[in-house]
Amino acid sequence: MSLAFIVCLVAVFALAAIGTPIGYSLLVAATLYLAVDGADLALAAEQLIQSIYDGYTLLAVPLFIIAANIMNAGTVSERLLTFCVAVVGRFRGGMGHVNILSSLIFSGMSGSAVADAAGIGKIITEMMVKTGHYSRGYAAAVTAASATIGPIIPPSIPMVMYALISNQSIGYLFLAGILPGLLMGFMLMSMNYVISWHRDIPVEAPTPLRDAPGITIRAFPALMMPVILLSGIYGGATTPTEAAAIAALYALMLATGLYRTLRLREFYRVVVDSARQAATVGIVIGCALIFNYIVATERIPQMLSTYMADLDISPLMFLLAMNLLILGLGCLLDATTIILVVLPLFIPTANVLGIDLIHFGVVMVVNAMIGLITPPYGMLLFVINAVTGIPLRDIIVNVLPFLFALLLALVALTVFPDISLMIPRYFGYHG
């Protein structure tokens, strides 16, 4: 490891420690590396521009962001919640199940955990509290935990990022996330049921069956978005990026044409907010790609691969060690940084050990999403705290059982690759 790379690493962690946004930390560190190494400083800008302009796949990120924001601005969220109440509200812990099911459905539209939490988080948390059966902290904890499913079930912005750094098919990664996302939802619902039974939470009054057809019809157009997305991608009609554009257009048509709930002023605010969010993500992605260029120049991945090969470590032990590493980093770093900066170091090693990179990507993305509710740096915990005003301590105490449930799901995904690979293989994946 060269002196320039040591200076680069020290700069990244020092700047991040004092609160500098991770994108700017990476950019400053990369510039310091070039200066100490005696290279042309313009190389940083060149790598940034080249990576962004060559990254056609990256266009999917802002398009999924604006699609989610349009859905949140209209009445789509409320219609989906009413539908979920009709489906699972009649069981013990019903409103908790509604919370989790709504995240499962909304995850097929946004691709972002933060969008799920910020969009329906406040609404469903208030619905749970109003019943008088759930504490504010518990309602917020269920909301935060269920939002982790958002980037697992397709579409998924983190999966797009992983595809960018691993050169894997976005389509197969999307397919590989379906069963893991459902497994996470099942584990969360099971934990919610156990807690509700232990606390003797009463069963809610069921939605009358005569109202079910009308509720379903009103929610049906929104429910069709994931169907349109996936059928377009896997039917060969669209690329994932084109599907993201269709998702944004479809969301706009629903909010302005069918439901007529999005006015011009609100649409302007949606566009501005989406542009800001996309710019924030874009800066992190671009600067991470510069950092990855430096890592490749230093041949860090190759050295790690050689070291792991010399250790004669088994693929399962490597995956378990990676899980522990990512879980630890998730307490300190955001998911985007982990995916774009940390994972590229270990992808060559996974490949050398014969680990399927689609399976590896799903396990690591799930792990990174669990980090979003892991104290002290749990992004979703702060988002829910911001939108609901519920004290952070109450959320953390109540989220721990759900964190345990998600860890069990992670272990199952790690040990049984077929959970991730079953659907991709059905659609022709040969990994």
Side-chain angles (χ1 to χ4, degrees):
M1 189 180 297
S2 67
L3 174 63
F5 191 66
I6 294 174
V7 171
C8 178
L9 289 179
V10 171
V12 168
F13 289 110
L15 291 170
I18 62 175
T20 307
I22 190 64
Y24 299 134
S25 300
L26 292 171
L27 183 60
V28 172
T31 305
L32 282 174
Y33 172 87
L34 296 174
V36 174
D37 195 51
D40 185 359
L41 295 182
L43 189 60
E46 178 187 339
Q47 286 297 315
L48 175 61
I49 294 172
Q50 183 178 347
S51 300
I52 294 296
Y53 278 115
D54 288 346
Y56 172 72
T57 302
L58 292 177
L59 282 176
V61 175
L63 292 170
F64 282 133
I65 288 174
I66 195 169
N69 287 342
I70 290 173
M71 284 288 194
N72 288 335
T75 61
V76 178
S77 301
E78 290 87 341
R79 293 170 189 265
L80 290 176
L81 285 173
T82 304
F83 172 78
C84 293
V85 170
V87 175
V88 296
R90 63 188 69 240
F91 304 110
R92 184 176 291 277
M95 290 308 297
H97 296 322
V98 168
N99 194 329
I100 297 164
L101 181 61
S102 62
S103 289
L104 277 167
I105 295 174
F106 204 78
S107 66
M109 304 174 192
S110 69
S112 166
V114 173
D116 285 5
I120 61 175
K122 185 175 183 179
I123 302 170
I124 186 60
T125 301
E126 290 177 352
M127 287 176 63
M128 290 182 68
V129 173
K130 281 182 180 178
T131 65
H133 303 149
Y134 306 91
S135 68
R136 284 163 52 83
Y138 182 79
V142 176
T143 305
S146 64
T148 60
I149 304 172
I152 308 304
I153 292 180
S156 167
I157 292 174
M159 293 290 191
V160 173
M161 295 178 183
Y162 177 78
L164 180 71
I165 62 171
S166 65
N167 199 29
Q168 297 299 300
S169 164
I170 297 178
Y172 286 137
L173 282 166
F174 279 5
L175 284 175
I178 294 176
L179 288 183
L182 294 176
L183 175 63
M184 293 168 69
F186 173 77
M187 295 301 294
L188 291 176
M189 284 186 171
S190 299
M191 182 58 70
N192 175 64
Y193 179 85
V194 170
I195 294 174
S196 299
W197 177 80
H198 180 72
R199 297 182 181 180
D200 197 24
I201 294 177
V203 178
E204 306 291 339
T207 301
L209 290 177
R210 65 177 179 273
D211 296 340
I215 292 172
T216 303
I217 290 172
R218 285 191 289 272
F220 183 76
L223 293 171
M224 284 300 294
M225 177 180 277
V227 176
I228 293 171
L229 278 173
L230 296 181
S231 61
I233 294 173
Y234 306 119
T238 64
T239 66
T241 302
E242 291 164 350
I246 292 172
L249 178 61
Y250 184 72
L252 184 61
M253 290 171 60
L254 287 183
T256 59
L258 184 61
Y259 297 146
R260 298 184 179 180
T261 55
L262 187 64
R263 301 290 181 262
L264 184 60
R265 180 178 297 179
E266 294 168 337
F267 178 65
Y268 173 77
R269 187 172 65 251
V270 165
V271 172
V272 171
D273 290 343
S274 300
R276 287 173 178 163
Q277 294 170 25
T280 301
V281 175
I283 289 172
V284 175
I285 292 174
C287 296
L289 291 174
I290 299 173
F291 189 81
N292 289 343
Y293 167 80
I294 292 173
V295 168
T297 302
E298 292 284 323
R299 298 183 57 82
I300 302 299
Q302 289 82 354
M303 287 190 290
L304 283 172
S305 298
T306 304
Y307 177 72
M308 290 294 183
D310 291 340
L311 287 179
D312 195 25
I313 189 172
S314 69
L316 180 58
M317 288 302 297
F318 174 75
L319 284 173
L320 292 175
M322 282 297 302
N323 277 330
L324 291 175
L325 173 65
I326 302 303
L327 285 171
L329 291 175
C331 297
L332 305 170
L333 301 174
D334 65 278
T336 301
T337 305
I338 290 173
I339 293 170
L340 293 175
V341 177
V342 178
L343 290 189
L345 300 176
F346 298 96
I347 288 174
T349 304
N351 199 25
V352 167
L353 293 175
I355 298 171
D356 185 273
L357 293 186
I358 296 290
H359 172 233
F360 180 74
V362 171
V363 171
M364 292 301 107
V365 170
V366 169
N367 197 322
M369 294 307 105
I370 292 175
L372 295 176
I373 60 169
T374 305
Y377 189 88
M379 178 65 72
L380 288 177
L381 304 179
F382 294 115
V383 171
I384 298 298
N385 167 257
V387 300
T388 64
I390 297 172
L392 197 59
R393 179 178 179 180
D394 293 346
I395 302 175
I396 293 174
V397 169
N398 284 278
V399 86
L400 294 180
F402 297 102
L403 179 59
F404 175 73
L406 290 174
L407 289 175
L408 290 179
L410 177 64
V411 171
L413 293 173
T414 303
V415 177
F416 303 107
D418 284 344
I419 299 176
S420 303
L421 299 177
M422 184 185 303
I423 296 181
R425 284 170 178 163
Y426 179 80
F427 281 86
Y429 179 64
H430 300 295

